[in-house]
Each structure stands twice: as C-alpha cells, then as structure tokens.
Amino acid sequence: MRTELVVVGAGPAGLAAALAADARGVRVTVVDAADGPGGQFYRQPAAELNARRPQALHHQWRTWERLRDGLAASGVRLLTGHHVWTVTGGPDSFTVHALLGPGQDEPATVHADAVLLATGSHEHVLPFPGWTLPGVVTAGGAQAMLKGGLVVPGRVAVVAGTGPLLLPVATGLAAAGTRVSALVESAGPRQVARHARALAGKLPEGAGHAARLLRHRVRPLARHTVVRAHGDDRLTGVTVAALDADGHVRRGTGRYLPCDTLAVGHGLLPQTDLAEGLGCHLDGPAVTVDAEQRTSAPGVWAAGEATGVGGAALALAEGHIAGRSAAARLRGTEPDPAGWAPAARTREALRTAAAALDAAFAPPAHWAAQVTDDTVVCRCEEVTAGAVREAADGLGAGDVRTVKLLTRAGMGWCQGRMCATAVAGLTGCHSDPPRRPLARPVPLGILAGTAPDRAAPDRPAPDRAAPDRAAPDRAAPDQPAPDRAAPDRSVSGRPVSASDRSPSEQASTGGLSSDRPPHGRLSRDQNPPEAFEEGSP
C-alpha cells in the first residue's frame, strides 16, 4: 500500500499530526499496534464490555472526543493491530514493516514518502527485593487494566514510586473499588516547591487528584519508598521506609503494609527504537527535533513522548506542528511557523514544565543500595543483581554492553528495554541508548524473506466496522449491539477484579484478544476539526 505520510502511533501526538496533515490535503496512514486509536492516555474499554461511562476513567475527555470525531470525519486511513518492527528507506521513500495476526507472524508493509514517529514511551522500571512476585505490577499496567479491561489488579493496593502518573493511578483504582491503603511517593514537598513557578499550570490538576485521594481516604506517604515486597507464591504486603534528604533509607523507619497489589512506577522513558534504526540523533534518551519537529534523518518527523516525556497536552501540540510541517514539505512549500504559533507557545511552556517535573520527581538517588544480591534484575534471562555487580566489580566491565555480554542481562525478549537502566544504576556504568535494528522480535521466516508479504488491504471488510470510526448514525458506544448481548460492567460500579475471572476471561478483557478490527479507509465527509486548540488541555 502506498501513502504520502505514514504516522507510527495513534496516541495524542499521532492523531494530532494525522489530522493536521490530512486537513491540508495529504494522504495519511496511521499504523498502531493496539485494537483502536487513543494510545495509553486515551485507552478505551473493549466495545464488548459495553461500558456505560467510559469518561469516568479519563480526564480531558472532551479533547478525546475532538480527536475521535475528527478522525471519523477525515480521510485518514487507520491500520490497527500493526506491530511495527522496523522502518527502512529514506529520504523520500520509506517502507514501514509490521506484523499482524494473533501470533504477530503475518507481514504487512506500508510505503510512504515521509514518516512521522509518534511511538510514545514505556515505563521506567527499577528492581527491588520481591518485585517479581505475582501481584506486583507497574503503575501504567494497572491503569491499562482499568481503562482497557475494566478490571482492577486486586482488592487492597499500595501505589508507590515517584512521578505524576501515581496520582491518576491511585485515584482511578480507588474510584473503581480497590482499597488503596497508601500512596508512597519518594519525592518530598520541598523538591516540588523548588519548581513551583514552572509547575504552576499543573497545580489545578494536582489539586483535583489530591481532593479525590482525600475523599477515598488514601494515605499519602511523601519521602518514602518501598524497600521490599513480601510473599511466597504471591504478594501479601510491602515494607516501606522513609528517605532522608540525600535519598538514603532512614534506619528504623520501616513499616509493613498488607496488600495484594503493588502498582509501582518511576516515570516514563521515550520509545526510540524505530528512530534509532533510522539513524535519528538522540539527546540523552529522547529523539532530537528542530522547531518543526523534524529529526536529523531527512524525511522523518517525531512528536510526543519519543521526543521527551511531557504528557498528552504537549504531545498534541508537537503532533499538530509536525503534521503541518510535514504537509508543507510534502507539497514542496516552506512551512509558515506563524500558522502554528499557538501550538508553539504551548509546546515551550509545557516543555519547561516537563523539565521541572523530571527534576522534582527523580528516582531516589541511592535506590540501588536496597537491591540485594539475590534480587532478579533481568527477568527475561533471570540474571541477579549479584551477577551484575560481579561483572562490574570482579570482571571489570565498564559499560552496560559488556555487562550484557558477561551476564546475559538484556539478551532476552525485551532486549534490555526494561533492565538496562537498572543495570546501569547497579554498576555505575554510563548507559548509552542501544542501536537496535529491530523494534520487536520478528519470525526468522519474515527476516529471511521466505514468508509471503501481505500488503494492508485498501478497503474495510464489508460486514464489519471499526468501533472507534463508526458512522454518525451508529448507536452510541455505551449501548450494547442490538444482536449481541453482553454483561453490563458499569464504570460507576466496582469492576470485576482479575482474581474473579478465569484465565481466558482475563486475557480477553485485558487487551490481549486476538480479534482485530478491520484495516479500512475512512471516507472524507467534511474537513476535520483541528485537534489542537490554543489553551486546550
């Protein structure tokens, strides 16, 4: 299939970029691994769950409605269920290689004149004793279960780590019926107060979450951290302790909190695999872009959290700028920055706020001191912290790659995406972003070119419609299909917990269903509304 601009990622940045380019006459195709648009921030419950009030799981719902309605009215082609593993070519002819099917073993390609990467971020994971127990999940994982499957990971939860993501996770779980016994935040009020001016725009949102925490009687523990998770075959509780001003655990401050769920997170890291494969320059962990969101690779734009984690509003502004710039360049004209001046002002203000959040909510400086030698660091290869330390201290490894060669830490399924920063922290080695030629595991038959390549179809299946791109006269998504009964799981009531379901039910409601919506082209009924509006969240 051929298109002018291919956007990888259907989150806020990707959708804003696609709508901006489409409104200026560019043929746009968006590819995404999920079953529907929205990304993690606007993740929607499966249609079969018949959620009556999905907006209860979100803030900035009106922004999502603008994106959703704009997409339905546009000529943007949305290809869901496409797991992109590499992008090749350039500077004016690219091929996006993706995997389809339940086993991600069916190839598909999209050819384009330009590429816009809106690949988002992944969670920053730090190990601690007991973190591999069942019942310990990432903060984003708990949020994804709630938003996408209307399930909660347990009945009594502790939310811990650092960063603004902990607030919506704690309030979301509490509103869904989980008893959140504590919100354990390693940052302290003084750290946040130092950046009060830059964070002034975030205060209303933070105050709203604080009010909801108070309403649900969630106990905040600032300047605390989880030092150990307890349990034999699953989580039964955690030990938390206070931190001193330097980030050391204060002796004698440990306390035990019983729980069956620990949702833990230490922020987010940009997802840059595809950008690295295209040779884009990185500034630290993020893709470097200019004022037009162009990368150092000709013909490649990037927007959203791949260029630096800063939230959905920043992603919308960057996506809008990138889409307008790409549209102009593809038409052979010089972009007019005055046309996106409001988005540029928003971008600069939110980048300043994002830098302040990074400084205020950095992980504890001495977290590695609490990691015992028998703690598993690389879960894929079952490499312990003791083996990692021995590689550095006993065998002289001076970088993460050498530690990897000596211990196999980072050689597994995730290729170090989860454990590389932990290995660097445990050894004191500098962690340079790796140059991975593949963004995800790929069957050898596809790499060898022996599997038949299946191009993405040009038309939707005649008897199926993608749930998020319904025609205007289709029944509202909160009503069950007329010929298909489904249980009513209201967001306003307590969702069924994961422990109440069979393994097959957990898989189907947790976003792991193998059913794919069709990959069809949407008709252009009218000019779509702009996804970015000055002053919008």
Side-chain angles (χ1 to χ4, degrees):
M1 188 191 75
R2 186 81 193 181
T3 190
E4 290 183 277
L5 176 66
V6 62
V7 178
V8 182
L15 294 180
L19 292 176
D22 174 79
R24 285 151 186 84
V26 173
R27 287 183 291 112
V28 183
T29 298
V30 178
V31 295
D32 193 273
D35 290 334
Q40 168 71 354
F41 192 81
Y42 292 118
R43 184 186 292 270
Q44 302 296 305
E48 292 80 3
L49 297 178
N50 294 301
R52 288 186 296 152
R53 296 177 59 244
Q55 64 270 27
L57 299 172
H58 296 268
H59 63 293
Q60 302 182 11
W61 182 257
R62 292 185 63 184
T63 303
W64 162 244
E65 289 180 322
R66 288 202 303 271
L67 290 169
R68 180 195 62 197
D69 296 344
L71 183 64
S74 74
V76 174
R77 183 193 300 268
L78 176 63
L79 304 180
T80 56
H82 280 58
H83 302 261
V84 178
W85 56 273
T86 194
V87 181
T88 58
D92 53 11
S93 179
F94 297 88
T95 301
V96 173
H97 301 266
L99 301 173
L100 305 176
Q104 297 181 32
D105 53 4
E106 302 174 36
T109 56
V110 179
H111 304 281
D113 302 325
V115 174
L116 198 157
L117 301 175
T119 48
S121 59
H122 61 86
E123 294 199 74
H124 186 188
V125 178
L126 296 178
F128 52 89
W131 75 296
T132 58
L133 281 169
V136 180
V137 297
T138 64
Q143 188 181 58
M145 291 174 67
L146 183 57
K147 286 184 175 181
L150 303 185
V151 296
V152 292
R155 300 183 183 278
V156 181
V158 170
V159 179
T162 190
L165 178 61
L166 301 186
L167 290 172
V169 171
T171 56
L173 290 176
T178 295
R179 183 167 70 85
V180 180
S181 60
L183 172 60
V184 183
E185 169 60 69
S186 63
R190 290 184 179 180
Q191 288 174 257
V192 179
R194 294 191 194 104
H195 307 279
R197 177 176 295 182
L199 296 176
K202 298 288 185 179
L203 291 180
E205 182 180 341
H209 285 301
R212 286 187 284 274
L213 291 175
L214 182 63
R215 187 183 314 133
H216 291 289
R217 299 181 180 179
V218 177
R219 175 175 46 170
L221 294 175
R223 296 298 298 168
H224 279 67
T225 190
V226 171
V227 295
R228 179 177 289 274
H230 303 277
D232 294 324
D233 56 353
R234 70 166 290 108
L235 181 72
T236 57
V238 299
T239 295
V240 302
L243 298 169
D244 64 19
D246 296 324
H248 291 96
V249 171
R250 293 167 53 191
R251 293 182 179 274
T253 62
R255 68 177 82 177
Y256 177 80
L257 301 176
C259 60
D260 60 13
T261 297
L262 171 63
V264 60
H266 292 88
L268 303 169
L269 296 173
Q271 188 75 32
T272 60
D273 291 342
L274 296 178
E276 294 164 29
L278 285 166
C280 301
H281 177 70
L282 269 61
D283 181 9
V287 180
T288 303
V289 292
D290 63 10
E292 298 181 28
Q293 300 294 137
R294 292 182 298 176
T295 72
S296 61
V300 181
W301 282 256
E305 306 217 306
T307 69
V309 176
L314 176 57
L316 287 169
E318 290 187 351
H320 181 79
I321 294 170
R324 292 183 64 136
S325 169
R329 298 283 178 187
L330 285 168
R331 291 291 175 261
T333 62
E334 192 71 19
D336 180 14
W340 63 67
R345 288 193 295 268
T346 298
R347 178 180 62 182
E348 296 313 307
L350 293 178
R351 281 180 176 176
T352 300
L357 286 172
D358 284 344
F361 294 100
H366 302 284
W367 65 267
Q370 304 305 312
V371 182
T372 57
D373 281 347
D374 62 347
T375 301
V376 172
V377 174
C378 173
R379 301 179 71 162
C380 296
E381 296 293 322
E382 300 183 344
V383 181
T384 64
V388 169
R389 287 169 173 145
E390 173 62 19
D393 300 335
L395 301 178
D399 56 79
V400 171
R401 182 176 182 275
T402 303
V403 175
K404 175 180 178 179
L405 294 174
L406 292 172
T407 66
R408 295 192 61 81
M411 286 190 179
W413 186 266
C414 82
Q415 286 292 290
R417 291 169 181 82
M418 296 294 104
C419 66
T421 54
V423 170
L426 288 168
T427 60
C429 297
H430 181 67
S431 180
D432 290 321
R435 293 292 299 273
R436 301 186 184 97
L438 309 179
R440 61 176 58 247
V442 185
L444 288 175
I446 292 177
L447 287 178
T450 57
D453 185 48
R454 189 181 79 185
D458 288 337
R459 294 182 301 277
D463 57 346
R464 297 177 64 191
D468 286 300
R469 292 163 284 156
D473 59 347
R474 183 176 173 177
D478 59 353
Q479 301 173 357
D483 59 345
R484 182 174 182 179
D488 180 16
R489 296 187 178 97
S490 169
V491 176
S492 60
R494 184 182 186 277
V496 180
S497 71
S499 61
D500 295 330
R501 298 173 181 272
S502 68
S504 61
E505 287 177 321
Q506 293 179 36
S508 65
T509 58
L512 301 178
S513 171
S514 62
D515 292 332
R516 307 286 184 189
H519 337 294
R521 187 179 183 88
L522 298 168
S523 62
R524 183 195 301 268
D525 297 325
Q526 60 187 47
N527 288 328
E530 292 290 358
F532 173 82
E533 295 179 5
E534 185 173 15
S536 64

